[in-house]
Amino acid sequence: MDKKSFEMVLDEIRKAVLTEYKLKAIEYVHGYFSSEQVVDLLRYFSWAEPQLKAMKALQHKMVAVHPAEVVNILSCFTFSKDKLTALELLASNIVDAQNSRPIEDLFRINMSEKKRCKRVLEQAFKGGCKAPHAMISSCGTIPGNPYPKGKPSRVNGVFPGTPLKKDGEECTNEGKGIAARILGPSKPPPSTYNPHKPVPYPIPPCRPHATVTPSAYNNAGLVPLASVIAPGVPPPPPYTPNPAGTENEDLSTQSGHAQSQSKYHTRLRQLSSVSAAAVTRDNGSS
């Protein structure tokens, strides 16, 4: 696969959030990946199980690989059991399987894994390579379109947030931001729309609502609280000043003031008598 087509595949995988959508982006590809491109694709899958699923999707979309290239692909996996599973998926794509010493060196520690590796390589040698060889032209790999039926993120709504494409409709989200991809293509404005002329805000019609009669107001112009809290209770009578109460308050205030003045004068006389007796005593002693 040429570089431009491979970048389109990587872009589809980057758009996908879930592993399911990333696998769909690989399954919809029309073309074959090289061993270096397979290694780059496996980096977008976080751990062993998604990587093995991707390896299974790439099984029939790879060109023939040599043992040294198989070692590079198997190095993307951490554990030996995952490497053996990936080797079984790559068996039909291996060229020159009889010279597979670099692959056997990956499984030297565990004897059972080493025997299993030899058995897989023997079957690959007997079955032969079924993958096509890389097509080379004067400009490198023959260029092409990896999604001749349309990108999976736009055609069938494979990825979340992308609407289904209808017949005869062209998607215009290419090259736009994430908001355009989530909201989908925007509708064109109406022919009568003028951006320089503001549109008046529609005023809703007046609905029938409850009104307060004038008799509900008192002399001060306020609605009594009793009619709001308990509508069935009659409001209290309006406030009227009481002149008798005012006179009683004035008399009590005056009497209290007179009592305080009398106490003050009495205390003043006592202090004067005490001071005079002290002066007389001092004169007699002298």
Side-chain angles (χ1 to χ4, degrees), residues 56-249:
K56 188 175 182 180
L58 292 166
Q59 183 179 6
H60 303 292
K61 296 183 181 297
M62 291 175 52
V63 297
V65 290
H66 294 275
E69 297 173 334
V70 175
V71 172
N72 295 333
I73 296 175
L74 297 181
S75 299
C76 298
F77 298 88
T78 304
F79 300 102
S80 299
K81 60 177 183 178
D82 300 325
K83 293 180 180 180
L84 282 173
T85 306
L87 179 61
E88 292 176 351
L89 296 173
L90 287 171
S92 60
N93 299 70
I94 300 177
V95 179
D96 195 15
Q98 68 272 15
N99 299 323
S100 57
R101 183 62 182 272
I103 301 177
E104 295 179 4
D105 292 341
L106 296 175
F107 307 96
R108 290 181 300 177
I109 299 176
N110 193 325
M111 187 59 62
S112 61
E113 293 178 350
K114 186 175 181 179
K115 291 180 179 179
R116 183 180 173 185
C117 173
K118 284 186 176 182
R119 186 167 58 252
V120 171
L121 293 175
E122 289 176 359
Q123 293 177 357
F125 175 71
K126 292 178 181 180
C129 178
K130 299 179 182 179
H133 292 269
M135 295 177 292
I136 304 299
S137 64
S138 59
C139 59
T141 306
I142 295 177
N145 182 11
Y147 300 109
K149 296 182 180 180
K151 294 183 179 180
S153 61
R154 296 167 53 188
V155 176
N156 298 321
V158 173
F159 297 167
T162 56
L164 295 176
K165 181 179 178 181
K166 300 180 181 179
D167 297 337
E169 179 184 0
E170 296 182 357
C171 296
T172 57
N173 292 339
E174 184 67 25
K176 294 187 179 181
I178 187 63
R181 293 176 181 174
I182 295 175
L183 300 177
S186 58
K187 297 181 180 179
S191 57
T192 58
Y193 174 72
N194 186 4
H196 303 286
K197 183 178 180 182
V199 180
Y201 185 80
I203 301 175
C206 181
R207 297 180 180 179
H209 56 277
T211 57
V212 182
T213 58
S215 60
Y217 293 90
N218 57 8
N219 297 333
L222 301 175
V223 180
L225 185 62
S227 63
V228 177
I229 299 176
V233 180
Y239 172 75
T240 55
N242 189 2
T246 305
E247 292 178 358
N248 295 335
E249 291 178 359

Side-chain angles (χ1 to χ4, degrees), residues 9-62:
V9 177
L10 290 181
D11 184 62
E12 290 294 299
I13 294 178
R14 294 189 192 102
K15 292 178 184 178
V17 179
L18 302 178
T19 303
E20 177 186 358
Y21 303 130
K22 294 180 181 180
L23 295 176
K24 290 290 184 181
I26 296 176
E27 293 173 357
Y28 285 19
V29 168
H30 286 251
Y32 295 92
F33 298 99
S34 64
S35 60
E36 294 82 4
Q37 292 173 347
V38 171
V39 172
D40 292 338
L41 289 174
L42 291 177
R43 293 173 181 172
Y44 289 91
F45 297 87
S46 56
W47 45 293
E49 184 177 355
Q51 285 180 337
L52 291 176
K53 290 182 179 180
M55 199 72 251
K56 188 175 182 180
L58 292 166
Q59 183 179 6
H60 303 292
K61 296 183 181 297
M62 291 175 52

